[in-house]
Amino acid sequence: METVLNCLKRRPDAVARLICFPWAGGGSAHFARWGRVMDSVEVFALKLPGRETRFREPFFQNMEQIVEEVVAALLPMLDEKPFALFGHSFGALTSFAVAERLKKQHNVEPVHMFLSGAPAPFSEIRLKSQRRSELSDEDFLRWLSSMGGTPPELLGNPEVLQFFLPALKADLHVVENYRCARPERPLLHCSLSCLDGKDDLPHNLQGQPQEVHTDGTRSGPPKLTLSVCVFSEQSGDASHLGSSPSGCSTALTST
């Protein structure tokens, strides 16, 4: 499990566990540090191949590989105490894919999911977007710079880019080829928090806009959960949404 999940602070008396999934190209260190400040929650962060202590391993090529590895690592620990999933950007989609597998094949689900800075997995806008992972490195960096959220000092450092760029493009390749069928009925029973940054281009959080009928009623898109689903805009852009774990801690300890 230590190969796949990074936990910097074990908390045997924690009331719940939080499993964090990083953004494209990211490692486990940022979210793993949350465990040092969340007194009542034990935090684990996903560590993917091709980076950190797994830098010699080849990158995963598809979402199925990620899901199989993560689910195998999580299953032995999920019956010990309640758990939640937090994913940012690429991590939001990978966490949803993991939650879907846990529910469908093992009838296990989190008590809460936090999905940050990402569209709905079945969003048509996402499915039709340009495949950025196929761009040349030069064009890819130009696009990345135009999107904002990536520190200029990182983009201008060839040594850092030598390690960061391949991981980022590999993760984008995975998510660009990830397909999720639009659910006919709610998949989960847990509560769900969808987070976005006010300074970002808006993500298609619900998968499609609501339809307004002639009688004034509205029909929304398919729901992912039977429980409460909260859509929230936070100050700044999405890159800042994962900077503080306080909201996650409050939601979990009050569940």
Side-chain angles (χ1 to χ4, degrees):
M1 182 184 72
E2 289 77 11
T3 301
V4 181
L5 298 170
N6 184 6
C7 180
L8 296 180
K9 181 69 174 179
R10 292 284 185 168
R11 296 188 184 277
D13 298 327
V15 299
R17 288 185 171 126
L18 179 65
I19 318 300
C20 298
F21 296 72
W23 52 85
S28 65
H30 175 83
F31 289 127
R33 285 194 290 267
W34 282 10
R36 293 173 174 166
V37 296
M38 298 178 74
D39 295 336
S40 303
V41 179
E42 191 173 48
V43 178
F44 293 82
L46 177 61
K47 185 164 44 175
L48 289 170
R51 65 212 81 188
E52 299 178 302
T53 58
R54 305 183 67 185
F55 73 95
R56 295 187 183 278
E57 300 178 44
F59 298 116
F60 282 147
Q61 297 299 307
N62 54 65
M63 189 67 80
E64 180 68 18
Q65 291 176 299
I66 297 176
V67 170
E68 285 187 359
E69 181 177 74
V70 175
V71 168
L74 287 177
L75 278 176
M77 58 185 276
L78 294 186
D79 61 348
E80 297 173 358
K81 59 186 64 184
F83 72 98
L85 305 180
F86 179 100
H88 178 64
S89 192
F90 164 75
L93 296 173
T94 56
S95 66
F96 175 80
V98 167
E100 182 179 34
R101 176 68 58 85
L102 287 171
K103 180 64 176 179
K104 288 184 175 180
Q105 291 194 3
H106 305 282
N107 198 30
V108 175
E109 65 177 288
V111 295
H112 197 99
M113 286 192 70
F114 302 90
L115 304 177
S116 163
F122 47 81
S123 165
E124 293 184 6
I125 295 176
R126 181 186 81 81
L127 297 175
K128 293 178 180 178
S129 62
Q130 182 181 350
R131 292 177 176 267
R132 309 291 183 179
S133 64
E134 298 176 356
L135 296 173
S136 66
D137 287 353
E138 182 180 354
D139 289 341
F140 185 84
L141 286 173
R142 188 177 298 112
W143 165 75
L144 192 62
S145 178
S146 70
M147 292 295 291
T150 305
E153 56 270 21
L154 186 154
L155 296 176
N157 188 323
E159 293 183 0
V160 174
L161 288 177
Q162 179 181 356
F163 296 97
F164 172 68
L165 199 58
L168 176 55
K169 295 182 78 171
D171 290 349
L172 284 181
H173 172 80
V174 167
V175 80
E176 287 170 352
N177 289 281
Y178 169 55
R179 295 294 180 266
C180 175
R182 185 179 296 275
E184 296 181 359
R185 59 184 60 88
L187 173 67
L188 303 169
H189 291 77
C190 67
S191 52
L192 181 66
S193 298
C194 296
L195 312 173
D196 221 353
K198 290 183 178 180
D199 295 343
D200 273 334
L201 293 174
H203 291 97
N204 188 212
L205 297 175
Q206 302 187 56
Q208 65 182 32
Q210 288 187 329
E211 296 180 7
V212 182
H213 304 291
T214 54
D215 62 358
T217 61
R218 296 172 180 265
S219 62
K223 292 180 63 177
L224 295 180
T225 179
L226 285 170
S227 188
V228 177
C229 182
V230 178
F231 296 89
S232 176
E233 279 192 334
Q234 310 293 313
S235 299
D237 59 37
S239 63
H240 296 99
L241 294 179
S243 62
S244 172
S246 57
C248 298
S249 180
T250 301
L252 287 179
T253 54
S254 61
T255 298

PDB file of all heavy atoms in Angstrom, residues 29 34 39 62-63 69 78 90 92-93 112 114 122 150 162 164-166 177 182 193 204 208 212 216 219 229 233 248:
ATOM      1  N   ALA A  29       2.950  14.647  -2.443  1.00  0.00           N
ATOM      2  CA  ALA A  29       3.480  15.388  -1.296  1.00  0.00           C
ATOM      3  C   ALA A  29       2.536  16.478  -0.794  1.00  0.00           C
ATOM      4  O   ALA A  29       2.348  16.647   0.413  1.00  0.00           O
ATOM      5  CB  ALA A  29       4.837  15.987  -1.642  1.00  0.00           C
ATOM      6  N   TRP A  34      -1.384  17.507   4.283  1.00  0.00           N
ATOM      7  CA  TRP A  34      -2.623  17.829   4.994  1.00  0.00           C
ATOM      8  C   TRP A  34      -2.751  17.001   6.273  1.00  0.00           C
ATOM      9  O   TRP A  34      -3.340  17.436   7.255  1.00  0.00           O
ATOM     10  CB  TRP A  34      -3.833  17.551   4.097  1.00  0.00           C
ATOM     11  CG  TRP A  34      -4.099  18.590   3.067  1.00  0.00           C
ATOM     12  CD1 TRP A  34      -3.298  19.633   2.708  1.00  0.00           C
ATOM     13  CD2 TRP A  34      -5.273  18.690   2.246  1.00  0.00           C
ATOM     14  NE1 TRP A  34      -3.887  20.376   1.708  1.00  0.00           N
ATOM     15  CE2 TRP A  34      -5.091  19.829   1.410  1.00  0.00           C
ATOM     16  CE3 TRP A  34      -6.427  17.938   2.131  1.00  0.00           C
ATOM     17  CZ2 TRP A  34      -6.054  20.215   0.482  1.00  0.00           C
ATOM     18  CZ3 TRP A  34      -7.386  18.328   1.200  1.00  0.00           C
ATOM     19  CH2 TRP A  34      -7.203  19.453   0.389  1.00  0.00           C
ATOM     20  N   ASP A  39      -6.291  16.993  12.611  1.00  0.00           N
ATOM     21  CA  ASP A  39      -6.145  16.191  13.817  1.00  0.00           C
ATOM     22  C   ASP A  39      -7.070  14.982  13.866  1.00  0.00           C
ATOM     23  O   ASP A  39      -6.714  13.942  14.433  1.00  0.00           O
ATOM     24  CB  ASP A  39      -6.395  17.060  15.056  1.00  0.00           C
ATOM     25  CG  ASP A  39      -5.342  18.145  15.209  1.00  0.00           C
ATOM     26  OD1 ASP A  39      -4.231  17.958  14.677  1.00  0.00           O
ATOM     27  OD2 ASP A  39      -5.632  19.172  15.850  1.00  0.00           O
ATOM     28  N   ASN A  62      -3.928   4.412 -19.300  1.00  0.00           N
ATOM     29  CA  ASN A  62      -5.381   4.569 -19.313  1.00  0.00           C
ATOM     30  C   ASN A  62      -5.941   4.569 -17.897  1.00  0.00           C
ATOM     31  O   ASN A  62      -5.256   4.199 -16.933  1.00  0.00           O
ATOM     32  CB  ASN A  62      -6.040   3.463 -20.147  1.00  0.00           C
ATOM     33  CG  ASN A  62      -5.628   2.069 -19.690  1.00  0.00           C
ATOM     34  OD1 ASN A  62      -5.943   1.662 -18.571  1.00  0.00           O
ATOM     35  ND2 ASN A  62      -4.915   1.346 -20.539  1.00  0.00           N
ATOM     36  N   MET A  63      -7.198   4.978 -17.772  1.00  0.00           N
ATOM     37  CA  MET A  63      -7.831   5.089 -16.459  1.00  0.00           C
ATOM     38  C   MET A  63      -8.008   3.735 -15.797  1.00  0.00           C
ATOM     39  O   MET A  63      -7.947   3.622 -14.563  1.00  0.00           O
ATOM     40  CB  MET A  63      -9.189   5.784 -16.600  1.00  0.00           C
ATOM     41  CG  MET A  63      -9.849   6.142 -15.282  1.00  0.00           C
ATOM     42  SD  MET A  63      -8.937   7.420 -14.355  1.00  0.00           S
ATOM     43  CE  MET A  63      -9.482   8.907 -15.225  1.00  0.00           C
ATOM     44  N   GLU A  69      -5.164  -0.371  -9.740  1.00  0.00           N
ATOM     45  CA  GLU A  69      -4.122  -0.272  -8.723  1.00  0.00           C
ATOM     46  C   GLU A  69      -4.646   0.369  -7.445  1.00  0.00           C
ATOM     47  O   GLU A  69      -4.375  -0.107  -6.334  1.00  0.00           O
ATOM     48  CB  GLU A  69      -2.933   0.518  -9.260  1.00  0.00           C
ATOM     49  CG  GLU A  69      -1.800   0.635  -8.242  1.00  0.00           C
ATOM     50  CD  GLU A  69      -0.586   1.360  -8.780  1.00  0.00           C
ATOM     51  OE1 GLU A  69      -0.659   2.607  -8.919  1.00  0.00           O
ATOM     52  OE2 GLU A  69       0.422   0.699  -9.064  1.00  0.00           O
ATOM     53  N   LEU A  78     -10.622  -0.194   3.852  1.00  0.00           N
ATOM     54  CA  LEU A  78     -11.860   0.570   3.782  1.00  0.00           C
ATOM     55  C   LEU A  78     -12.905   0.146   4.804  1.00  0.00           C
ATOM     56  O   LEU A  78     -13.846   0.896   5.072  1.00  0.00           O
ATOM     57  CB  LEU A  78     -12.459   0.490   2.372  1.00  0.00           C
ATOM     58  CG  LEU A  78     -11.639   1.163   1.271  1.00  0.00           C
ATOM     59  CD1 LEU A  78     -12.393   1.136  -0.048  1.00  0.00           C
ATOM     60  CD2 LEU A  78     -11.275   2.600   1.650  1.00  0.00           C
ATOM     61  N   PHE A  90      -7.551  16.688 -12.768  1.00  0.00           N
ATOM     62  CA  PHE A  90      -7.369  15.295 -13.172  1.00  0.00           C
ATOM     63  C   PHE A  90      -7.720  14.346 -12.027  1.00  0.00           C
ATOM     64  O   PHE A  90      -8.325  13.289 -12.233  1.00  0.00           O
ATOM     65  CB  PHE A  90      -5.908  15.105 -13.612  1.00  0.00           C
ATOM     66  CG  PHE A  90      -5.430  13.686 -13.708  1.00  0.00           C
ATOM     67  CD1 PHE A  90      -5.816  12.874 -14.760  1.00  0.00           C
ATOM     68  CD2 PHE A  90      -4.559  13.170 -12.759  1.00  0.00           C
ATOM     69  CE1 PHE A  90      -5.357  11.567 -14.859  1.00  0.00           C
ATOM     70  CE2 PHE A  90      -4.094  11.872 -12.845  1.00  0.00           C
ATOM     71  CZ  PHE A  90      -4.497  11.064 -13.896  1.00  0.00           C
ATOM     72  N   ALA A  92      -9.932  14.772  -9.725  1.00  0.00           N
ATOM     73  CA  ALA A  92     -11.376  14.663  -9.523  1.00  0.00           C
ATOM     74  C   ALA A  92     -11.951  13.550 -10.386  1.00  0.00           C
ATOM     75  O   ALA A  92     -12.819  12.781  -9.948  1.00  0.00           O
ATOM     76  CB  ALA A  92     -12.047  15.993  -9.846  1.00  0.00           C
ATOM     77  N   LEU A  93     -11.473  13.456 -11.623  1.00  0.00           N
ATOM     78  CA  LEU A  93     -11.967  12.419 -12.518  1.00  0.00           C
ATOM     79  C   LEU A  93     -11.462  11.041 -12.110  1.00  0.00           C
ATOM     80  O   LEU A  93     -12.202  10.052 -12.178  1.00  0.00           O
ATOM     81  CB  LEU A  93     -11.560  12.741 -13.960  1.00  0.00           C
ATOM     82  CG  LEU A  93     -12.182  14.026 -14.525  1.00  0.00           C
ATOM     83  CD1 LEU A  93     -11.595  14.366 -15.883  1.00  0.00           C
ATOM     84  CD2 LEU A  93     -13.697  13.890 -14.631  1.00  0.00           C
ATOM     85  N   HIS A 112     -18.286  10.885   1.751  1.00  0.00           N
ATOM     86  CA  HIS A 112     -18.336  12.196   1.092  1.00  0.00           C
ATOM     87  C   HIS A 112     -17.320  12.208  -0.047  1.00  0.00           C
ATOM     88  O   HIS A 112     -16.290  11.530   0.028  1.00  0.00           O
ATOM     89  CB  HIS A 112     -18.013  13.317   2.087  1.00  0.00           C
ATOM     90  CG  HIS A 112     -18.423  14.681   1.611  1.00  0.00           C
ATOM     91  ND1 HIS A 112     -19.589  15.288   2.009  1.00  0.00           N
ATOM     92  CD2 HIS A 112     -17.837  15.558   0.748  1.00  0.00           C
ATOM     93  CE1 HIS A 112     -19.692  16.484   1.423  1.00  0.00           C
ATOM     94  NE2 HIS A 112     -18.640  16.662   0.655  1.00  0.00           N
ATOM     95  N   PHE A 114     -15.247  15.113  -2.575  1.00  0.00           N
ATOM     96  CA  PHE A 114     -14.916  16.493  -2.908  1.00  0.00           C
ATOM     97  C   PHE A 114     -14.316  16.482  -4.318  1.00  0.00           C
ATOM     98  O   PHE A 114     -13.235  15.909  -4.526  1.00  0.00           O
ATOM     99  CB  PHE A 114     -13.898  17.065  -1.926  1.00  0.00           C
ATOM    100  CG  PHE A 114     -14.333  17.037  -0.489  1.00  0.00           C
ATOM    101  CD1 PHE A 114     -14.047  15.937   0.321  1.00  0.00           C
ATOM    102  CD2 PHE A 114     -15.018  18.111   0.077  1.00  0.00           C
ATOM    103  CE1 PHE A 114     -14.429  15.899   1.645  1.00  0.00           C
ATOM    104  CE2 PHE A 114     -15.403  18.077   1.410  1.00  0.00           C
ATOM    105  CZ  PHE A 114     -15.117  16.977   2.200  1.00  0.00           C
ATOM    106  N   PHE A 122     -19.033  12.899 -17.449  1.00  0.00           N
ATOM    107  CA  PHE A 122     -19.748  12.610 -18.696  1.00  0.00           C
ATOM    108  C   PHE A 122     -20.054  13.883 -19.488  1.00  0.00           C
ATOM    109  O   PHE A 122     -20.845  13.864 -20.430  1.00  0.00           O
ATOM    110  CB  PHE A 122     -21.056  11.863 -18.395  1.00  0.00           C
ATOM    111  CG  PHE A 122     -21.855  12.474 -17.280  1.00  0.00           C
ATOM    112  CD1 PHE A 122     -22.671  13.564 -17.490  1.00  0.00           C
ATOM    113  CD2 PHE A 122     -21.755  11.958 -16.003  1.00  0.00           C
ATOM    114  CE1 PHE A 122     -23.390  14.133 -16.464  1.00  0.00           C
ATOM    115  CE2 PHE A 122     -22.481  12.515 -14.951  1.00  0.00           C
ATOM    116  CZ  PHE A 122     -23.305  13.609 -15.182  1.00  0.00           C
ATOM    117  N   THR A 150      -0.127  27.828 -13.516  1.00  0.00           N
ATOM    118  CA  THR A 150       1.181  27.179 -13.410  1.00  0.00           C
ATOM    119  C   THR A 150       2.234  28.250 -13.183  1.00  0.00           C
ATOM    120  O   THR A 150       2.335  29.192 -13.964  1.00  0.00           O
ATOM    121  CB  THR A 150       1.523  26.384 -14.687  1.00  0.00           C
ATOM    122  OG1 THR A 150       0.475  25.447 -14.953  1.00  0.00           O
ATOM    123  CG2 THR A 150       2.835  25.626 -14.518  1.00  0.00           C
ATOM    124  N   GLN A 162      11.844  18.907 -17.526  1.00  0.00           N
ATOM    125  CA  GLN A 162      12.293  17.597 -17.974  1.00  0.00           C
ATOM    126  C   GLN A 162      11.551  16.475 -17.231  1.00  0.00           C
ATOM    127  O   GLN A 162      11.296  15.408 -17.797  1.00  0.00           O
ATOM    128  CB  GLN A 162      13.799  17.463 -17.743  1.00  0.00           C
ATOM    129  CG  GLN A 162      14.377  16.117 -18.164  1.00  0.00           C
ATOM    130  CD  GLN A 162      15.868  16.032 -17.878  1.00  0.00           C
ATOM    131  OE1 GLN A 162      16.498  17.001 -17.435  1.00  0.00           O
ATOM    132  NE2 GLN A 162      16.438  14.867 -18.131  1.00  0.00           N
ATOM    133  N   PHE A 164       8.591  17.282 -15.132  1.00  0.00           N
ATOM    134  CA  PHE A 164       7.180  17.662 -14.979  1.00  0.00           C
ATOM    135  C   PHE A 164       6.374  17.438 -16.252  1.00  0.00           C
ATOM    136  O   PHE A 164       5.252  16.923 -16.214  1.00  0.00           O
ATOM    137  CB  PHE A 164       7.101  19.123 -14.533  1.00  0.00           C
ATOM    138  CG  PHE A 164       5.713  19.700 -14.528  1.00  0.00           C
ATOM    139  CD1 PHE A 164       4.764  19.258 -13.608  1.00  0.00           C
ATOM    140  CD2 PHE A 164       5.353  20.685 -15.430  1.00  0.00           C
ATOM    141  CE1 PHE A 164       3.488  19.793 -13.606  1.00  0.00           C
ATOM    142  CE2 PHE A 164       4.075  21.227 -15.434  1.00  0.00           C
ATOM    143  CZ  PHE A 164       3.137  20.778 -14.514  1.00  0.00           C
ATOM    144  N   LEU A 165       6.928  17.822 -17.388  1.00  0.00           N
ATOM    145  CA  LEU A 165       6.179  17.796 -18.635  1.00  0.00           C
ATOM    146  C   LEU A 165       5.744  16.387 -19.053  1.00  0.00           C
ATOM    147  O   LEU A 165       4.577  16.188 -19.408  1.00  0.00           O
ATOM    148  CB  LEU A 165       6.996  18.463 -19.748  1.00  0.00           C
ATOM    149  CG  LEU A 165       6.211  18.933 -20.976  1.00  0.00           C
ATOM    150  CD1 LEU A 165       5.137  19.925 -20.552  1.00  0.00           C
ATOM    151  CD2 LEU A 165       7.160  19.596 -21.977  1.00  0.00           C
ATOM    152  N   PRO A 166       6.630  15.385 -19.022  1.00  0.00           N
ATOM    153  CA  PRO A 166       6.183  14.033 -19.401  1.00  0.00           C
ATOM    154  C   PRO A 166       5.054  13.509 -18.509  1.00  0.00           C
ATOM    155  O   PRO A 166       4.111  12.874 -18.996  1.00  0.00           O
ATOM    156  CB  PRO A 166       7.451  13.187 -19.237  1.00  0.00           C
ATOM    157  CG  PRO A 166       8.572  14.151 -19.409  1.00  0.00           C
ATOM    158  CD  PRO A 166       8.090  15.419 -18.775  1.00  0.00           C
ATOM    159  N   ASN A 177      -8.752  10.284 -22.828  1.00  0.00           N
ATOM    160  CA  ASN A 177      -9.294   9.042 -23.355  1.00  0.00           C
ATOM    161  C   ASN A 177     -10.261   8.350 -22.397  1.00  0.00           C
ATOM    162  O   ASN A 177     -10.756   7.255 -22.691  1.00  0.00           O
ATOM    163  CB  ASN A 177      -8.149   8.081 -23.705  1.00  0.00           C
ATOM    164  CG  ASN A 177      -7.368   8.528 -24.925  1.00  0.00           C
ATOM    165  OD1 ASN A 177      -7.791   8.333 -26.058  1.00  0.00           O
ATOM    166  ND2 ASN A 177      -6.218   9.168 -24.699  1.00  0.00           N
ATOM    167  N   ARG A 182     -23.211   8.449 -19.270  1.00  0.00           N
ATOM    168  CA  ARG A 182     -24.138   9.279 -18.505  1.00  0.00           C
ATOM    169  C   ARG A 182     -25.065   8.364 -17.696  1.00  0.00           C
ATOM    170  O   ARG A 182     -25.741   7.502 -18.261  1.00  0.00           O
ATOM    171  CB  ARG A 182     -24.957  10.148 -19.462  1.00  0.00           C
ATOM    172  CG  ARG A 182     -25.884  11.137 -18.778  1.00  0.00           C
ATOM    173  CD  ARG A 182     -26.630  11.951 -19.812  1.00  0.00           C
ATOM    174  NE  ARG A 182     -25.695  12.774 -20.583  1.00  0.00           N
ATOM    175  CZ  ARG A 182     -25.269  13.968 -20.199  1.00  0.00           C
ATOM    176  NH1 ARG A 182     -25.693  14.472 -19.045  1.00  0.00           N
ATOM    177  NH2 ARG A 182     -24.441  14.662 -20.928  1.00  0.00           N
ATOM    178  N   SER A 193     -19.483  17.379  -2.859  1.00  0.00           N
ATOM    179  CA  SER A 193     -19.143  18.803  -2.965  1.00  0.00           C
ATOM    180  C   SER A 193     -18.375  19.028  -4.255  1.00  0.00           C
ATOM    181  O   SER A 193     -17.311  18.444  -4.453  1.00  0.00           O
ATOM    182  CB  SER A 193     -18.279  19.249  -1.766  1.00  0.00           C
ATOM    183  OG  SER A 193     -18.966  19.113  -0.552  1.00  0.00           O
ATOM    184  N   ASN A 204     -17.958  22.595 -16.654  1.00  0.00           N
ATOM    185  CA  ASN A 204     -19.298  22.056 -16.855  1.00  0.00           C
ATOM    186  C   ASN A 204     -19.573  21.049 -15.740  1.00  0.00           C
ATOM    187  O   ASN A 204     -19.584  19.833 -15.957  1.00  0.00           O
ATOM    188  CB  ASN A 204     -19.365  21.406 -18.244  1.00  0.00           C
ATOM    189  CG  ASN A 204     -20.771  20.989 -18.633  1.00  0.00           C
ATOM    190  OD1 ASN A 204     -20.965  20.019 -19.337  1.00  0.00           O
ATOM    191  ND2 ASN A 204     -21.773  21.721 -18.174  1.00  0.00           N
ATOM    192  N   GLN A 208     -24.379  19.086 -18.227  1.00  0.00           N
ATOM    193  CA  GLN A 208     -25.170  19.772 -19.242  1.00  0.00           C
ATOM    194  C   GLN A 208     -26.009  20.824 -18.537  1.00  0.00           C
ATOM    195  O   GLN A 208     -26.296  20.704 -17.351  1.00  0.00           O
ATOM    196  CB  GLN A 208     -26.081  18.784 -19.986  1.00  0.00           C
ATOM    197  CG  GLN A 208     -27.151  18.153 -19.110  1.00  0.00           C
ATOM    198  CD  GLN A 208     -27.977  17.150 -19.883  1.00  0.00           C
ATOM    199  OE1 GLN A 208     -27.500  16.492 -20.794  1.00  0.00           O
ATOM    200  NE2 GLN A 208     -29.239  17.025 -19.522  1.00  0.00           N
ATOM    201  N   VAL A 212     -35.156  24.560 -19.360  1.00  0.00           N
ATOM    202  CA  VAL A 212     -36.300  25.302 -18.833  1.00  0.00           C
ATOM    203  C   VAL A 212     -37.503  25.005 -19.721  1.00  0.00           C
ATOM    204  O   VAL A 212     -37.485  25.280 -20.920  1.00  0.00           O
ATOM    205  CB  VAL A 212     -36.015  26.815 -18.803  1.00  0.00           C
ATOM    206  CG1 VAL A 212     -37.205  27.558 -18.217  1.00  0.00           C
ATOM    207  CG2 VAL A 212     -34.751  27.106 -18.002  1.00  0.00           C
ATOM    208  N   GLY A 216     -42.229  26.694 -16.951  1.00  0.00           N
ATOM    209  CA  GLY A 216     -41.334  27.333 -16.010  1.00  0.00           C
ATOM    210  C   GLY A 216     -40.550  26.374 -15.145  1.00  0.00           C
ATOM    211  O   GLY A 216     -39.650  26.794 -14.405  1.00  0.00           O
ATOM    212  N   SER A 219     -35.565  20.936 -15.505  1.00  0.00           N
ATOM    213  CA  SER A 219     -35.087  19.571 -15.340  1.00  0.00           C
ATOM    214  C   SER A 219     -33.581  19.582 -15.453  1.00  0.00           C
ATOM    215  O   SER A 219     -33.030  20.019 -16.464  1.00  0.00           O
ATOM    216  CB  SER A 219     -35.685  18.641 -16.407  1.00  0.00           C
ATOM    217  OG  SER A 219     -35.284  19.035 -17.702  1.00  0.00           O
ATOM    218  N   CYS A 229     -25.920  17.339  -3.010  1.00  0.00           N
ATOM    219  CA  CYS A 229     -24.849  17.712  -3.937  1.00  0.00           C
ATOM    220  C   CYS A 229     -24.730  19.227  -3.940  1.00  0.00           C
ATOM    221  O   CYS A 229     -25.663  19.926  -4.331  1.00  0.00           O
ATOM    222  CB  CYS A 229     -25.141  17.196  -5.341  1.00  0.00           C
ATOM    223  SG  CYS A 229     -23.845  17.563  -6.539  1.00  0.00           S
ATOM    224  N   GLU A 233     -18.510  27.954  -5.704  1.00  0.00           N
ATOM    225  CA  GLU A 233     -17.419  28.712  -6.310  1.00  0.00           C
ATOM    226  C   GLU A 233     -16.577  29.320  -5.200  1.00  0.00           C
ATOM    227  O   GLU A 233     -17.096  29.940  -4.274  1.00  0.00           O
ATOM    228  CB  GLU A 233     -17.954  29.824  -7.206  1.00  0.00           C
ATOM    229  CG  GLU A 233     -18.375  29.358  -8.582  1.00  0.00           C
ATOM    230  CD  GLU A 233     -18.616  30.529  -9.519  1.00  0.00           C
ATOM    231  OE1 GLU A 233     -18.933  31.631  -9.023  1.00  0.00           O
ATOM    232  OE2 GLU A 233     -18.489  30.358 -10.735  1.00  0.00           O
ATOM    233  N   CYS A 248     -12.573  20.275   4.168  1.00  0.00           N
ATOM    234  CA  CYS A 248     -12.689  18.817   4.164  1.00  0.00           C
ATOM    235  C   CYS A 248     -12.804  18.287   5.580  1.00  0.00           C
ATOM    236  O   CYS A 248     -13.614  17.415   5.876  1.00  0.00           O
ATOM    237  CB  CYS A 248     -11.478  18.183   3.468  1.00  0.00           C
ATOM    238  SG  CYS A 248     -11.301  18.624   1.730  1.00  0.00           S
TER     239      CYS A 248
END
